Amino acid sequence: PAMETEESALAFLAPDETAATLLSRVLTDPMLTGIPFIDGHGALRAGQMLEVCGVGGSGKTEILMQAAVNCVMPRSRGGVHFGGCESSVLLVDLDGKFDTLRLLKILTTRIKDTITAAATLHHTAGTGGTHATASTGTHATASTGTHATAS
């Protein structure tokens, strides 16, 4: 019995990751969701999961769609800074109510707004002033049972 206890203790004390693994995990680029109240509490890292729970109509699906769009958007393309994470997203719809067209609309609106803002910024920069705004202009009703994993 003493040998089992000592072996158990040594197994418990053994490191579960190397320093190289730790650094590669910690030093990866953060994935911002684009939602200030979530990003203010710390950015997600690749491989982490974001689960949003709440009553119907509280905005769960909207939060996950906004986060998914920000994850798949490019960092920059064609001289335009989109601020995305160039990552993959897996959405799991547990109740069959997820609106893929709504997700596509959010994505295309974000792309159009970013390009318009970049063009406005470029145009006003030539006249001595700089001002650009970009908004997604999105709203959706959340359905229960929708989860997302960003990787």
Side-chain angles (χ1 to χ4, degrees), residues 28-33 38-39 42-50 67 71 85 150:
T28 59
D29 289 336
M31 289 190 302
L32 299 175
T33 64
I38 293 175
D39 293 340
L44 294 171
R45 302 271 181 205
Q48 290 182 321
M49 179 185 291
L50 172 63
C71 285
C85 300

Side-chain angles (χ1 to χ4, degrees), residues 58-78:
S58 61
K60 300 179 301 294
T61 299
E62 179 67 15
I63 287 171
L64 293 176
M65 285 188 187
Q66 292 290 345
V69 164
N70 204 57
C71 285
V72 301
M73 291 283 287
R75 286 182 177 86
S76 63
R77 193 75 90 235

